[in-house]
Amino acid sequence: MVFYVVGLGLSDEYDITLKGLEAVKSCERIYLEAYTSILMVDKERLEKLYGHEVILADRDMVESDSDTILKDADKVNVAFLVVGDPFGATTHTDLVLRARSQNIEVKTIHNASVMNAIGCCGLQLYNYGQTVSIVFFTETWRPDSFYPKIKANRDIDLHTLCLLDIKVKEQTIENLIKGNKIFEPPRYMTINQCVEQLLEVEEKRGENVYNKNTIGVGLARVGCEDQQIVAGTFEELLTYDFGKPLHSFVIPGKMHFLEADVLKEYAINKETFEKYADISQH
């Protein structure tokens, strides 16, 4: 018997691979990881395709109650579904290690993720440096650990993919302390919020890593029918309406002229793009 870790791709129920679908249909229990990313459809559409109930697995279940997920996985097939590719988050690696420690056979079925689909904007994947996460600022917590990573990338002319924060089934500090099982509505960071926070950190740190005239690329709902790709200065992107989630953001490094030619097609203002883009002529 097998514990399958299956990537679902980026958009809807039909992005699963044929190999993944065959594996899922063989399973007695199916869990959907529901906190590092989201599909653009409800789980009911997955259930209709699979012909089986899908159990939502929140962060608490995956990180603290993995025994429930792995129960009897040495006797029956169990599937753990992940939006994108299975190993986009470290908690999934931990789950695999726990399964192997119990002598449960694990099979991984890969799929597209934002880490490779981001190539749709025209910037070559092998020209990216470290990927960073941008989390929601609070009144008392405004982390800037991403800043030196962006600087390191830009110092050697590499692009930076920024993954934007998702808050699903989160509690306020007050409810957490009181043990109240009351959860906040889901929140998904927008490109506008990301750019605003990036500029705030630049103003605080003052190392001139980027500024309001730096070219950025906003990508919304990558892999979906209504995918959006928009290039512009940080200032232009601050107010651009990208619509519903999920959003991602890219800060280009020095661009090959062919990369720039593709990206310019998505520019809010082509003259502004040509003025501020860092383009190699070689």
Side-chain angles (χ1 to χ4, degrees):
M1 296 296 102
V2 178
F3 178 61
Y4 288 104
V5 186
V6 182
L8 294 183
L10 294 166
S11 179
D12 58 30
E13 71 272 33
Y14 297 116
D15 279 354
I16 193 171
T17 63
L18 291 175
K19 183 184 288 186
L21 183 59
E22 186 177 76
V24 168
K25 285 188 172 184
S26 76
C27 291
E28 185 164 307
R29 295 197 315 281
I30 303 168
Y31 295 91
L32 172 62
E33 186 266 86
Y35 63 92
T36 60
S37 190
I38 57 168
L39 277 183
M40 298 294 109
V41 295
D42 296 329
K43 79 179 182 78
E44 286 74 18
R45 283 180 50 175
L46 301 181
E47 292 172 331
K48 183 178 179 181
L49 179 63
Y50 306 157
H52 203 296
E53 178 191 7
V54 173
I55 304 163
L56 291 180
D58 60 19
R59 183 187 296 274
D60 189 53
M61 173 180 278
V62 176
E63 295 183 353
S64 304
D65 194 20
S66 59
D67 287 344
T68 297
I69 297 173
L70 297 174
K71 183 182 178 183
D72 296 330
D74 57 340
K75 301 181 182 68
V76 298
N77 289 349
V78 176
F80 183 72
L81 311 180
V82 181
V83 177
D85 187 76
F87 294 116
T90 54
T91 50
H92 308 146
T93 305
D94 183 64
L95 188 61
V96 167
L97 290 173
R98 289 173 186 268
R100 288 176 177 158
S101 72
Q102 297 176 36
N103 296 315
I104 295 168
E105 182 180 1
V106 179
K107 289 188 179 178
T108 302
I109 301 175
H110 294 283
N111 209 320
S113 79
V114 71
M115 300 291 285
N116 53 41
I118 204 72
C120 65
C121 71
L123 300 176
Q124 295 296 318
L125 293 179
Y126 49 75
N127 290 335
Y128 280 79
Q130 302 175 80
T131 297
V132 302
S133 296
I134 311 296
V135 301
F136 282 111
F137 284 176
T138 70
E139 290 299 317
T140 57
W141 189 58
R142 309 178 90 75
D144 59 5
S145 57
F146 58 81
Y147 186 82
K149 294 180 181 179
I150 297 174
K151 182 179 188 303
N153 288 344
R154 289 176 67 77
D155 283 346
I156 53 175
D157 298 331
L158 296 179
H159 315 313
T160 305
L161 169 60
C162 302
L163 302 177
L164 310 192
D165 201 6
I166 294 173
K167 296 291 187 188
V168 179
K169 206 174 180 182
E170 297 279 337
Q171 293 177 276
T172 63
I173 298 297
E174 182 181 1
N175 283 323
L176 194 62
I177 292 171
K178 291 182 177 180
N180 297 330
K181 292 293 184 179
I182 300 172
F183 301 100
E184 296 294 290
R187 289 191 296 149
Y188 308 97
M189 182 179 285
T190 65
I191 291 156
N192 318 104
Q193 290 169 312
C194 168
V195 173
E196 185 178 354
Q197 292 188 183
L198 286 170
L199 289 172
E200 177 183 321
V201 170
E202 175 58 55
E203 185 176 357
K204 180 180 75 174
R205 300 280 296 250
E207 297 175 36
N208 198 31
V209 173
Y210 48 78
N211 57 57
K212 67 178 184 179
N213 293 324
T214 298
I215 295 295
V217 189
L219 299 99
R221 300 170 301 284
V222 172
C224 299
E225 291 285 338
D226 60 347
Q227 169 180 293
Q228 262 195 308
I229 305 171
V230 179
T233 65
F234 277 31
E235 187 171 42
E236 290 169 334
L237 295 172
L238 266 175
T239 54
Y240 191 91
D241 183 5
F242 286 89
K244 63 186 180 182
L246 292 171
H247 293 185
S248 302
F249 188 64
V250 175
I251 305 172
K254 186 179 287 291
M255 289 178 271
H256 185 275
F257 64 88
L258 290 177
E259 290 180 299
D261 284 347
V262 176
L263 194 55
K264 186 168 70 172
E265 295 302 309
Y266 300 113
I268 295 172
N269 183 312
K270 288 182 171 56
E271 290 183 6
T272 305
F273 179 87
E274 290 177 343
K275 180 178 180 180
Y276 293 113
D278 188 2
I279 303 172
S280 169
Q281 299 306 314
H282 303 288

